[in-house]
Amino acid sequence: MKYKIIRTDKADEQLRDIIFYIADDSGSADIALNYLDKIETVINVLEDFPHSGSVPRYSTLRKQGYRALIVERHLIFYKVNEEHKIVTIYAVMDSRREYRNLI
C-alpha cells in the first residue's frame, strides 16, 4: 500500500525559496525546475519506501521521530505515521545551515 505524502506550509515555502534562489543565482529557470524535479522525485520515493531516509544525527530530532532525505546539499525532514500511512514533509533546508532548531 502506498503512503500518502503531505507537506506543511513551511516546507512548501522553504522549497519555493530554494527554487527561486537557484533560478536567481544561476540565471536559469530550467536549472531551478530541474532541481525541483529532482527533489520531487526523491520525495515521491517515500510513497513506497517511507523509511528510506536516514535518522538525523541530532538526538532531539531522532527522539521526535524525524527522518531525513538528502538531495545534493539539501535535507528534507519528514515523519512517518504508520497508523494512517502518511508521510509528512516538515522542512526542506540547506544542509550547511544549523538546522537543529529550525524545524
Side-chain angles (χ1 to χ4, degrees):
M1 176 174 173
K2 285 191 182 287
Y3 284 65
K4 180 179 180 185
I5 297 174
I6 58 176
R7 287 199 290 242
T8 63
D9 290 342
K10 181 177 182 177
D12 269 341
E13 183 181 315
Q14 290 169 330
L15 186 54
R16 224 178 1 259
D17 289 347
I18 290 165
I19 300 311
F20 284 141
Y21 174 80
I22 291 171
D24 189 49
D25 190 54
S26 67
S28 168
D30 284 345
I31 289 172
L33 291 173
N34 285 341
Y35 193 69
L36 177 61
D37 284 345
K38 188 180 286 192
I39 288 176
E40 295 285 0
T41 298
V42 169
I43 288 173
N44 287 336
V45 167
L46 296 174
E47 288 181 339
D48 295 309
F49 303 102
H51 297 283
S52 59
S54 59
V55 175
R57 70 174 185 259
Y58 292 120
S59 63
T60 51
L61 296 177
R62 271 200 310 270
K63 287 176 187 162
Q64 292 173 38
Y66 284 102
R67 297 186 78 80
L69 292 169
I70 302 166
V71 179
E72 292 185 19
R73 65 175 190 256
H74 289 96
L75 295 171
I76 301 163
F77 288 97
Y78 70 96
K79 289 182 185 179
V80 179
N81 179 321
E82 288 296 343
E83 185 182 345
H84 296 105
K85 302 287 186 221
I86 295 172
V87 173
T88 303
I89 308 295
Y90 285 94
V92 182
M93 57 188 55
D94 193 314
S95 62
R96 296 168 298 182
R97 291 181 60 193
E98 178 63 38
Y99 54 82
R100 180 174 27 190
N101 301 318
L102 295 178
I103 297 178

